[in-house]
Amino acid sequence: MKHPHYNEVNRFANPAHEALMGVWWSGLKLKRAARTFFRAHAVSDTQFNALVVLNVAGRPLSQREMGERLLVDKSDLTGLVDRMEKAGLVERRAVAGDRRRHAVSLTAAGRAELARSEPDYAALVNRAMSAFTRSEVATLTRLMVKLHDSIDSLPSTPPVPRPTSQASRTESARPSRSNP
């Protein structure tokens, strides 16, 4: 089913907002495609990404390092690693000298699943990116790094919301405590 392009249904007065929504929309569509793809495989999209991260690292990673590389919250990562360990895809070992830290590494079964899934996934990635030339892929990668750096510079604490006009009217309509 062909879906409309984000800017065919959402017009923004601010071109920066429209571009950012294009990135967001693309991410959602990629997530949908990945979920569909991984229904035919023994791992989920998130588990596959964890296998890739461990493989690319070439060494065991602490759960903190995995969370940073996957952009996964600590509590979600613990459940992910628990499920992957139960499936025999990874093993978790205590880090010497620090009982609270664990190093996660690929097992032979994890490497085998990655070897089975990765070629088909690479073909899917190549198909998704086939709209771009090699030069455009490099440009897109550079632009995404710039966007990530810009997003990383945003304040991590959300601003205090300003009262809406309705809230302001409600506040002003309330009787003061000094009036009976």
Side-chain angles (χ1 to χ4, degrees):
M1 175 179 180
K2 184 166 169 59
H3 297 281
H5 293 282
Y6 77 95
N7 61 353
E8 290 175 355
V9 294
N10 298 311
R11 296 284 182 197
F12 296 90
N14 180 341
H17 189 188
E18 188 165 333
L20 193 58
M21 289 307 297
V23 171
W24 185 274
W25 191 284
S26 297
L28 293 175
K29 291 178 94 168
L30 284 169
K31 185 72 171 171
R32 185 181 299 145
R35 283 189 177 144
T36 299
F37 173 83
F38 282 104
R39 282 189 196 122
H41 293 271
V43 293
S44 69
D45 55 330
T46 306
Q47 290 173 331
F48 176 79
N49 288 336
L51 293 174
V52 169
V53 161
L54 288 167
N55 191 53
V56 168
R59 62 176 177 81
L61 294 176
S62 71
Q63 288 186 223
R64 181 187 54 77
E65 289 174 305
M66 282 184 69
E68 289 171 355
R69 292 176 187 210
L70 291 167
L71 295 177
V72 174
D73 185 72
K74 180 182 174 182
S75 60
D76 294 333
L77 184 68
T78 299
L80 172 66
V81 172
D82 287 346
R83 289 186 299 280
M84 293 179 74
E85 190 173 37
K86 186 175 181 180
L89 301 170
V90 299
E91 67 179 0
R92 189 174 10 197
R93 292 192 179 162
V95 172
D98 188 347
R99 293 185 319 200
R100 294 175 298 160
R101 289 184 61 211
H102 292 88
V104 180
S105 58
L106 287 173
T107 61
R111 280 189 281 285
E113 181 53 43
L114 192 56
R116 274 190 299 276
S117 302
E118 203 164 24
D120 291 341
Y121 188 72
L124 180 72
V125 168
N126 290 337
R127 186 170 166 212
M129 298 301 287
S130 68
F132 299 105
T133 65
R134 189 177 296 237
S135 174
E136 288 171 329
V137 169
T139 298
L140 180 59
T141 301
R142 281 192 306 278
L143 292 172
M144 294 310 299
V145 168
K146 286 177 74 169
L147 178 60
H148 293 173
D149 289 346
S150 179
I151 291 169
D152 285 346
S153 74
L154 295 174
S156 59
T157 305
V160 176
R162 294 188 310 215
T164 63
S165 56
Q166 178 64 35
S168 298
R169 285 193 296 263
T170 303
E171 285 296 317
S172 63
R174 288 188 184 149
S176 72
R177 293 187 185 257
S178 60
N179 291 342

